[in-house]
Amino acid sequence: DAEITQSPRHKITETGRQVTLACHQTWNHNNMFWYRQDLGHGLRLIHYSYGVHDTNKGEVSDGYSVSRSNTEDLPLTLESAASSQTSVYFCASSGGLARGAQYFGPGTRLTVL
Amino acid sequence: QKEVEQNSGPLSVPEGAIASLNCTYSDRGSQSFFWYRQYSGKSPELIMFIYSNGDKEDGRFTAQLNKASQYVSLLIRDSQPSDSATYLCAVSSGTYKYIFGTGTRLKVLA
C-alpha cells in the first residue's frame, strides 16, 4: 500500500545545531508539504513543492529549507535550530485527484533545548 | 490575510446524538473544502472534501457548503465515543495549498 513516512519520529537537539527531518512518500504524488503544529496556532505551512526541483516558501519559512531531488522525498532542514522551533512537524502529499486532498505522515516531535 | 475560523470547543454531545461542527472562511475565491479528524498525538486523517454548494454524505458524515455565506459544516450522526477527536477544517483556493483552521475538539459522552 502507498504511504507517507517520516523519520525520526522523535528528536531532541541543541540550539544552533543543524537538523534534517525526512519525509518519504510512495503515492507518486507531485505535491509535498511541510507543516508545524503548535497549540493555539493549528497547522502552519512551512514549505511546499509542486514537483522535482520546485520549492516554495510557506507562511513560517524563516529558519527552514527544503530541496526536492526526486518525486518521493522532501527533507526539511533547520539550519540552526532555535527553541522556538520546538514543535510537531507533519509532512503531507497530494496528487491531482480528490481536489488535491492531502495525506499526512505520522509526524516528528522535535525538541530544541 | 486569508483566514479559516473554527470554535475551539470542546463541543460535548451525548452518544447517539448529532454533532455539528462549523467553519467559516474569509477568501471568497476558495474552491475546495476539507475536513480532517485528528486524534491526540496522531496525524490528521482526511474525512471528507466538498466543493459544490449543498450537502455531501458519506456514511455517518455529512459535509455542508454554503459559498454565499462562506460557511462549511460537518455533521456526525449517531456520534460514538470513538469520534472524540479534534476536527480540522481546511480551505483551498485551487493552488493545492490549504489554510487550516485551529480545529474544534469534540467530546462524545458515553
Side-chain angles (χ1 to χ4, degrees):
Chain A
D1 286 346
E3 62 177 356
I4 179 166
T5 57
Q6 294 183 236
S7 61
R9 296 294 312 280
H10 302 272
K11 174 79 176 177
I12 299 173
T13 191
E14 295 177 342
T15 301
R17 291 190 179 267
Q18 184 181 80
V19 176
T20 296
L21 308 182
C23 175
H24 179 82
Q25 54 98 3
T26 58
W27 290 96
N28 199 34
H29 284 163
N30 285 326
N31 311 318
M32 296 184 72
F33 307 84
W34 273 105
Y35 295 91
R36 60 179 289 174
Q37 187 173 41
D38 306 285
L39 279 174
H41 289 280
L43 282 160
R44 292 183 291 174
L45 184 63
I46 305 171
H47 281 285
Y48 60 102
S49 168
Y50 288 154
V52 177
H53 303 308
D54 175 75
T55 61
N56 305 280
K57 294 180 179 181
E59 63 178 299
V60 290
S61 60
D62 286 350
Y64 303 94
S65 64
V66 294
S67 63
R68 186 94 178 268
S69 59
N70 59 51
T71 299
E72 295 79 18
D73 299 288
L74 187 69
L76 177 71
T77 297
L78 287 69
E79 303 293 346
S80 177
S83 58
S84 60
Q85 294 176 310
T86 292
S87 186
V88 178
Y89 291 86
F90 289 105
C91 180
S93 71
S94 75
L97 299 178
R99 285 284 169 143
Q102 294 184 15
Y103 297 90
F104 283 77
T108 294
R109 183 174 295 275
L110 177 68
T111 302
V112 183
L113 301 176
Chain B
Q1 176 78 1
K2 299 175 184 177
E3 292 183 345
V4 176
E5 296 191 359
Q6 298 180 255
N7 188 316
S8 62
L11 172 66
S12 296
V13 299
E15 184 176 357
I18 296 175
S20 177
L21 304 160
N22 304 316
C23 172
T24 59
Y25 59 95
S26 62
D27 181 10
R28 285 196 171 275
S30 299
Q31 298 181 9
S32 303
F33 307 84
F34 304 85
W35 282 100
Y36 285 81
R37 176 176 62 199
Q38 186 175 24
Y39 292 113
S40 180
K42 301 296 186 182
S43 59
E45 173 191 10
L46 179 69
I47 298 174
M48 294 189 71
F49 69 93
I50 187 169
Y51 52 89
S52 298
N53 276 328
D55 295 358
K56 179 180 179 182
E57 187 174 317
D58 184 0
R60 295 186 297 113
F61 299 99
T62 299
Q64 300 176 318
L65 175 61
N66 184 325
K67 289 186 177 180
S69 299
Q70 295 177 247
Y71 175 96
V72 57
S73 64
L74 180 70
L75 302 179
I76 306 174
R77 290 183 299 281
D78 188 23
S79 296
Q80 301 297 309
S82 59
D83 294 324
S84 298
T86 297
Y87 289 81
L88 304 172
C89 173
V91 175
S92 171
S93 300
T95 62
Y96 296 118
K97 285 195 303 177
Y98 288 1
I99 296 175
F100 278 90
T102 52
T104 298
R105 191 157 64 96
L106 173 66
K107 296 176 68 174
V108 180
L109 308 173

